[in-house]
Amino acid sequence: MSRPSSFTPPPGARAYRLRTARGEFAVVDAGTAVRGTALLVPGYTGSKEDFTALHEPLAAAGYRTVAVDGRGQFESPGARDDETAYAQAELAQDVLAQARALDDGPVHLLGHSLGGQISRAAVLLDPEPFVSLTLMSSGPAQISASQQERVKLLRDALAVLTPTEVWEAIQAMGDPQGSGAGQLDEGLDDTEDLRRRWLANSPAQLLATGRQLCTEPDRVDELAALALPVHVLSGERDDTWPIPLLDDMATRLKAHRTVVQGAEHSPNTDQPRETARALADFWNGTE
């Protein structure tokens, strides 16, 4: 649900396919693990490029950051028609495999929006590969009623239209991301990159994960039972999970809480410097 600052990796970053026990995943890998390594998991309709603006400031803080396209997202392969391949438990196993493949020992795990709920599921399956969990703009259960309506519209469209036809309809409605993230006024290159990402996504992945967003149960108590540091980070406004709901979740988790001023659902792109600073401060504190 983020608008990437760029689809080009920042200076010094490497784009490649990470080999894991569950297949290969497209990643952007930046920085050196002086203080630690972080695995960054994007949200619905998103991709690894959503974290482009975080790599440099986090590298300067001593962190290696590895942003990943999940199965069926953008440049990671995935079934086009089989929704069972994208069950949350399957996607959580992918995250565990990605963390283990980094060969840096336990990593800091960050999930944005849908990626936060997948990351939570991974931690609940096996917390051992992780030093901490950051839930960025990711709430305790299903998304808000208004966002459920938007996701349902998208799912209904994908059921009867081709991805190209859906993209054209999204353009006509003035939301190039198809994600409820707001309108864009960027130039042609930006729009072409967004279109390329949209058409590369697996329709089955979008259908399956869209359903997950609308039906996710509250698993906060399960997460609170783990001895794992948790960070709840969001912007100061969020239509997907209201801020008071995120505040309450942080209280239930006894989690570190950050509200990034001037940001909405995607602090990673709205205010990347402030977001990176908050992440590094939290990760430093886990040492």
Side-chain angles (χ1 to χ4, degrees), residues 6-280:
S6 173
F7 277 77
T8 302
R14 296 186 299 134
Y16 64 93
R17 293 191 177 275
L18 177 69
R19 293 182 178 179
T20 80
R22 290 178 61 84
E24 294 187 350
F25 297 88
V27 301
V28 172
D29 188 334
T32 303
V34 176
R35 304 194 73 157
T37 296
L39 177 63
L40 313 179
V41 181
Y44 188 58
T45 76
S47 69
K48 60 191 178 302
E49 286 72 24
D50 295 347
F51 303 107
T52 296
L54 296 182
H55 289 299
E56 286 189 280
L58 288 173
Y63 289 94
R64 176 190 178 194
T65 48
V66 182
V68 62
D69 286 340
R71 182 179 303 275
Q73 276 186 326
F74 194 25
E75 295 177 324
S76 287
R80 300 288 292 180
D81 301 313
D82 181 10
E83 289 188 49
T84 64
Y86 306 104
Q88 189 185 75
E90 294 296 319
L91 301 178
Q93 289 285 3
D94 288 346
V95 170
L96 288 167
Q98 293 154 11
R100 291 172 180 137
L102 295 179
D103 294 328
D104 275 346
V107 303
H108 298 284
L109 179 60
L110 180 153
H112 174 240
S113 196
L114 170 72
Q117 298 196 329
I118 294 169
S119 296
R120 179 175 72 178
V123 166
L124 289 172
L125 282 174
D126 183 3
E128 186 176 354
F130 307 109
V131 180
S132 72
L133 171 64
T134 295
L135 301 172
M136 178 186 288
S137 303
S138 185
Q142 72 272 10
I143 56 177
S144 67
S146 63
Q147 290 300 312
Q148 287 186 45
E149 286 299 317
R150 295 182 72 98
V151 171
K152 185 179 184 299
L153 283 171
L154 178 57
R155 287 173 47 211
D156 288 347
L158 286 167
V160 297
L161 301 175
T162 67
T164 299
E165 289 170 334
V166 174
W167 172 260
E168 291 170 353
I170 291 169
Q171 290 285 294
M173 291 187 296
D175 185 356
Q177 296 189 78
S179 62
Q183 298 188 19
L184 303 180
D185 58 1
E186 269 60 36
L188 178 63
D189 290 343
D190 182 79
T191 301
E192 285 302 310
D193 283 333
L194 292 170
R195 179 181 184 276
R196 180 167 59 90
R197 178 172 72 173
W198 170 260
L199 295 179
N201 284 326
S202 160
Q205 181 266 131
L206 292 170
L207 288 167
T209 55
R211 186 173 293 107
Q212 290 168 31
L213 282 169
C214 297
T215 60
E216 177 73 3
D218 188 319
R219 305 187 71 186
V220 174
D221 290 344
E222 293 176 68
L223 183 59
L226 299 180
L228 186 74
V230 178
H231 184 191
V232 176
L233 185 150
S234 72
E236 61 179 328
R237 294 178 297 279
D238 198 317
D239 293 334
T240 307
W241 286 280
I243 298 303
L245 193 66
L246 298 178
D247 291 338
D248 178 69
M249 181 177 72
T251 299
R252 293 170 62 194
L253 290 169
K254 296 182 173 58
H256 185 72
R257 178 74 171 109
T258 298
V259 177
V260 179
Q261 299 301 309
E264 297 189 19
H265 186 64
S266 299
N268 44 313
T269 58
D270 293 342
Q271 297 290 343
R273 292 283 171 179
E274 291 78 0
T275 299
R277 188 178 304 115
L279 292 171

